[in-house]
Amino acid sequence: MSILERFSLAGQVALVTGGGRGLGFEMASALAEAGAHVIVTGRTTATLEDAVRTIRAAGGTAEAAVFDIADRGGQRAVMAEIDKIHGRLDILINNVGARDRRPLAEFDDEAVLELLRTDLAAAITLSRDASVLMKRRNYGRLIAVTSISGHVVMPGDCVYPAAKQGLTGLMRAMAVEFGPHGITSNAIAPGWFATETNAAMAANEELMPFVRQRIPVQRWGRPDEIAGAALFLASAAASFVNGHVLTVDGGMTVTM
């Protein structure tokens, strides 16, 4: 197999949570372009339908699964449908992440638990369910989208970094537990990307001196620049990469 052939995902089935927009969409599109059939999830039907149409128009194959990632009933239903229709799941990208920036003292107990359910617990249970399908074929790729938050943090943002660091621990533990079954577990830690969510910040010229000072490439990341990292970790080219956090931040976390 040539090096380029190792990046092919032909015949594989991938599930990308939060795949309707932003970084999730870019990763889903990359997997589809490489030959995978991609299932994109989210809570908004119109957004997912637009994503599926765009992927198909580019020559890929995709379908939508509309549900709240923190809903265990929805998770079970999606996994059952994937098993029934496709009989396999080769790649899972846990991408969904909610954020609530405010001082920790302003969080009540339920607000903390709600964020942890979405950002951490959902990935644990979905990964567990996915591993069942992957073990049947002795092959799989579990990928968690974490964050540079936790390595570098800003005031008023405690729960999100805690959840993302929890995902890092989950990925490392799964690398050890599932490695003997041919399943690798890795993470992608994005830095500052100019997605729809961050559009206002990315357009704020007052922030640019800070960006130039803290990010060696002196700019925000383009959403499509996450695609290569996802494709690499999902492919046979990364067959011996297990338990790794691939940071994609333009050098922000290594800057003094």
Side-chain angles (χ1 to χ4, degrees):
M1 185 183 295
S2 72
I3 187 61
L4 292 181
E5 288 173 331
R6 294 176 193 174
F7 285 92
S8 172
L9 303 178
Q12 296 190 32
V13 177
L15 177 64
V16 181
T17 69
R21 61 182 188 138
L23 300 185
F25 172 74
E26 296 295 341
M27 292 185 285
S29 296
L31 302 189
E33 186 176 341
H37 175 78
V38 179
I39 301 152
V40 292
T41 82
R43 294 180 297 181
T44 307
T45 300
T47 299
L48 294 181
E49 288 178 347
D50 285 345
V52 168
R53 278 194 295 270
T54 302
I55 290 171
R56 289 176 176 173
T61 65
E63 62 185 279
V66 184
F67 74 104
D68 186 330
I69 193 64
D71 175 21
R72 276 298 290 150
Q75 287 189 356
R76 293 189 187 100
V78 166
M79 285 297 174
E81 192 74 2
I82 290 172
D83 191 17
K84 177 182 177 181
I85 295 176
H86 303 287
R88 64 189 293 171
L89 180 64
D90 303 283
I91 302 158
L92 168 64
I93 299 183
N94 277 303
N95 167 66
V96 168
R99 198 159 196 165
D100 189 347
R101 289 188 176 96
R102 50 180 163 146
L104 186 57
E106 295 182 8
F107 278 81
D108 59 24
D109 292 351
E110 182 52 37
V112 172
L113 294 175
E114 181 180 357
L115 208 58
L116 291 177
R117 279 192 289 266
T118 298
D119 290 355
L120 179 57
I124 295 174
T125 53
L126 198 60
S127 296
R128 181 192 62 198
D129 294 349
S131 72
V132 174
L133 299 182
M134 292 175 176
K135 286 178 181 177
R136 292 180 190 170
R137 304 179 63 84
N138 203 43
Y139 180 88
R141 297 285 186 266
L142 295 171
I143 301 170
V145 178
T146 60
S147 173
I148 61 170
S149 293
H151 299 288
V152 290
V153 297
M154 301 181 73
D157 192 22
C158 283
V159 183
Y160 178 83
K164 289 300 187 178
Q165 286 297 91
L167 279 180
T168 300
L170 169 68
M171 173 275 300
R172 293 185 185 279
M174 293 193 304
V176 175
E177 182 168 339
F178 298 142
H181 300 280
I183 301 168
T184 62
S185 302
N186 294 288
I188 300 171
W192 284 25
F193 276 83
T195 62
E196 298 98 320
T197 303
N198 295 324
M201 289 179 63
N204 187 348
E205 286 298 323
E206 293 181 2
L207 271 178
M208 286 311 297
F210 176 82
V211 169
R212 295 188 183 98
Q213 179 185 13
R214 291 289 291 118
I215 304 176
V217 297
Q218 298 190 342
R219 61 176 176 82
W220 287 72
R222 300 189 312 272
D224 64 283
E225 290 179 302
I226 203 73
L231 176 57
F232 169 63
L233 292 177
S235 73
S239 57
F240 204 56
V241 180
N242 192 29
H244 179 67
V245 179
L246 178 52
T247 302
V248 187
D249 69 348
M252 187 174 188
T253 51
V254 298
T255 303
M256 291 287 289

